[in-house]
């Protein structure tokens, strides 16, 4: 069975799905491994490094996709301008694909349908459940750690004031007020980073345990309201999509905070589903001039109604950042984390050996998106019906 590692084509994407050290593991498992020329260049691994690990270097993506039985990627398939074809159409029919698909996001629906129609078995790394057995495969947590850290740095670089209180000969500046919405892995890292930069931080989450964890970070103010666990919590401690009446209440809480906030980090996600819109255009207009919103929920649609993928939009002197692929900006560490996450995932999927994927495994079932010309991912089916 042949594994293919293509070079990522998203603009600015330097990550790669396998490093020489993980290629060596795939070879030891009995796979043949193809790596597209210069795929590891962005993380400073040469083609010679991959050859030494046992990979065959192929000259282009067309060759790789035509030969691979299993494609391992970082980001979802996109249109390849260089060859004039979409990657979802380049992967050979009947092959397998493992990557971050974000299949519930509306922007991904056409791509998912293409994978389905071409009988490609696709599995999404953002579908790995947070259970103890899957911890080493949890790429979403790995990338979320990077996103939380870097999102605050992005905001600080665009904020027209200091983040900390700075004393000068003519007085002291005031610390920035930062609001973090969603205190999962991204949010907690964002809180910690903002506090290290000297900001005053307020956190919001619908889950009681998440609020307690945020509050345990010294000096963090926690704003929230009581939501019954049966309404707020999904299996594994994830947030559940709130019914409309509760979502309205959460928006009202965020609205009440925004006029006093300088920087907002939005990271409220429902696994496998479209992100809830928590900040409307009207709410953005209540913020102070120079304020910055960084919406890291953008891969699943975004938490702000004004966020545009990959763009920064100024609305009444408030900057709304839809920076895509934040983990890709920390490519070396991100690739090391992701390559090892996906290695563990493949080891679990093929625990009975190459050619014998185990689709009955709980981790595999929750991350399976398309198989046998059917879309089987529950969150995607729900999002498509709503659309």
């Amino acid at each position: 069975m042949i594994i293919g590692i293509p070079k990522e084509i998203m603009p600015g994407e330097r990550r790669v799905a396998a490093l020489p050290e993980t290629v060596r593991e795939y070879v030891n498992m009995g796979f043949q491994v193809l790596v597209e020329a210069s795929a590891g260049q962005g993380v400073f691994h040469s083609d010679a490094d991959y050859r030494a690990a046992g990979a065959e270097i192929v000259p282009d993506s067309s060759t790789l996709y035509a030969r691979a039985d299993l494609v391992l990627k970082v980001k979802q398939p996109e249109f390849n301008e260089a060859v004039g074809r979409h990657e979802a159409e380049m992967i050979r029919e009947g092959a397998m694909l493992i990557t971050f698909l974000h299949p519930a996001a509306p922007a991904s629906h056409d791509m998912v349908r293409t994978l389905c129609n071409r009988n490609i078995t696709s599995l999404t790394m953002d579908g790995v459940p947070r259970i103890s057995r899957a911890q080493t495969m949890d790429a979403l947590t790995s990338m979320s750690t990077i996103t939380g850290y870097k999102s605050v740095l992005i905001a600080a670089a665009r904020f027209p004031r200091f983040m900390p209180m700075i004393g000068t000969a003519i007085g002291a500046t005031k610390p920035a007020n930062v609001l973090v919405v969603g205190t999962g892995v991204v949010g907690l890292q964002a809180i910690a980073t903002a506090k290290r930069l000297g900001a005053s931080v307020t956190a919001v989450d619908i889950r009681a345990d998440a609020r307690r964890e945020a509050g345990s970070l010294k000096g963090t103010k926690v704003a929230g309201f009581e939501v019954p666990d049966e309404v707020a919590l999904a299996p594994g401690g994830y947030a559940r999509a709130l019914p409309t009446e509760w979502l309205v209440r959460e928006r009202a809480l965020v609205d009440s905070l925004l006029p006093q906030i300088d920087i907002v980090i939005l990271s409220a996600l429902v696994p496998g589903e479209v992100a809830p819109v928590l900040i409307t255009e009207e709410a953005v207009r209540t913020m102070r001039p120079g304020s910055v919103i960084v919406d890291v929920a953008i891969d699943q649609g975004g938490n702000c109604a004004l966020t545009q993928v990959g763009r920064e939009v100024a609305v009444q002197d408030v900057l709304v950042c839809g920076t895509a692929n934040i983990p890709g900006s920390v490519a070396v560490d991100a690739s090391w984390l992701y390559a090892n996450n996906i290695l563990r995932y493949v080891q679990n999927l093929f625990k009975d050996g190459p050619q014998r994927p185990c689709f009955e495994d709980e981790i595999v079932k929750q991350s399976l998106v398309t198989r046998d010309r059917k879309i089987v991912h529950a969150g995607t089916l729900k999002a498509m019906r709503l659309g």
Side-chain angles (χ1 to χ4, degrees), residues 258-286:
L258 290 179
Q260 292 80 45
I261 296 298
D262 300 303
I263 291 172
V264 183
I265 307 297
L266 293 172
S267 64
L269 292 172
V270 178
E273 298 195 24
V274 176
V277 174
L278 300 176
I279 296 182
T280 63
E281 180 176 352
E282 293 75 16
V284 171
R285 294 180 183 279
T286 69

Side-chain angles (χ1 to χ4, degrees), residues 128-139 141-142 341 363:
V128 173
R130 281 191 180 143
I131 58 177
S132 58
R133 187 166 63 87
Q135 285 182 346
T136 59
M137 311 171 208
D138 190 355
T141 290
S142 295
N341 290 146
I363 297 166

Side-chain angles (χ1 to χ4, degrees), residues 216-279:
S216 71
L217 298 175
K218 187 176 179 181
T220 303
K221 297 186 284 284
V222 178
F225 54 96
E226 296 298 322
V227 182
D229 284 349
E230 62 270 21
V231 175
L233 288 179
Y238 289 105
R240 188 188 297 275
L242 290 179
T244 301
E245 62 272 21
W246 285 100
L247 186 58
V248 169
R249 292 179 64 180
E250 186 177 12
R251 283 187 191 134
L253 170 67
V254 174
D255 285 356
S256 70
L257 298 170
L258 290 179
Q260 292 80 45
I261 296 298
D262 300 303
I263 291 172
V264 183
I265 307 297
L266 293 172
S267 64
L269 292 172
V270 178
E273 298 195 24
V274 176
V277 174
L278 300 176
I279 296 182

Side-chain angles (χ1 to χ4, degrees), residues 94-115:
M96 297 179 67
L97 168 68
I98 304 174
T99 187
F100 274 114
L101 284 171
H102 307 292
S108 298
H109 291 177
D110 285 345
M111 176 264 295
V112 169
R113 291 187 184 99
T114 298
L115 296 173

